[in-house]
Amino acid sequence: GMSEDFIQQEFYVSFTLGVEGSYYAKYLEEAREEERVCHVPWNKQSRVHTAWDLGYGDSCAIIFYQISGNEIHIIDYYENRLKKMPFYIQVLQDRKYNYGTHYLPHDGDHETLSNVTPKKQLEKMYKADDLVEDRRTVRAVQGHGHGCTLTPGPDAAAGVA
């Protein structure tokens, strides 16, 4: 069968959907319809959490967000490819945020060719208690998608598509 995204794109000429199979495209479209795509200021007193999608040949993506009441404010996004973990750790350090928890996907504790997991590399810079390797991260964010507000722009908006 065909996915709903494919049907909407091909038969109803919908250009608002993301790439077929993308997790967050429908949530981004809902946010746009509900006018939740707006400027969200960085609150320097609040911790910034990250959610990662690890990749090397395909993209590695980092979403930077803050919790404000019952809302998730996506304040920043970074994506690159063909880079190793020390590069991404430098990206975190360059941003000067007061970090909270770093959420890694299920493969965050898998060894690489260097026999060092992304989680272990992050632990060198951040407290182990602030690193979560969890298979449920995508489902958790999907469950809270209706509470996300994000800053528009090529970086933040791309992180949710």
Side-chain angles (χ1 to χ4, degrees):
M2 292 181 261
S3 72
E4 182 62 27
D5 289 350
F6 183 82
I7 292 169
Q8 290 296 321
Q9 179 181 323
E10 295 299 316
F11 298 111
Y12 296 100
V13 195
S14 172
F15 296 104
T16 60
L17 297 173
V19 176
E20 183 179 4
S22 65
Y23 291 110
Y24 305 113
K26 67 181 175 183
Y27 299 109
L28 181 57
E29 184 56 29
E30 285 176 16
R32 285 186 182 121
E33 289 173 4
E34 296 170 5
E35 299 181 356
R36 289 185 284 118
V37 178
C38 58
H39 178 72
V40 180
W42 165 36
N43 179 345
K44 293 182 181 181
Q45 277 64 49
S46 292
R47 290 185 175 264
V48 174
H49 308 283
T50 63
W52 295 63
D53 182 8
L54 298 172
Y56 181 77
D58 56 348
S59 292
C60 179
I62 309 168
I63 295 174
F64 300 81
Y65 68 95
Q66 294 181 301
I67 305 297
S68 179
N70 291 328
E71 294 183 339
I72 299 170
H73 289 183
I74 299 172
I75 61 165
D76 198 357
Y77 173 78
Y78 184 82
E79 180 178 334
N80 211 324
R81 59 188 289 270
L82 303 176
K83 304 289 184 189
K84 298 189 185 268
M85 267 319 276
F87 176 87
Y88 296 108
I89 290 170
Q90 188 63 50
V91 167
L92 296 181
Q93 292 172 332
D94 289 347
R95 280 175 160 66
K96 310 287 187 216
Y97 293 137
N98 176 19
Y99 289 105
T101 303
H102 300 280
Y103 292 93
L104 302 174
H106 65 89
D107 56 351
D109 213 13
H110 292 182
E111 289 188 358
T112 63
L113 293 176
S114 64
N115 292 326
V116 182
T117 70
K119 183 177 178 182
K120 286 179 183 170
Q121 291 178 64
L122 280 167
E123 284 174 347
K124 290 179 183 177
M125 298 302 298
Y126 302 99
K127 295 184 301 187
D129 294 345
D130 291 336
L131 299 171
V132 176
E133 182 261 331
D134 193 348
R135 297 178 190 278
R136 298 165 295 167
T137 302
V138 169
R139 282 178 287 185
V141 174
Q142 286 176 330
H144 291 91
H146 63 280
C148 284
T149 305
L150 60 113
T151 300
D155 292 339
V160 190

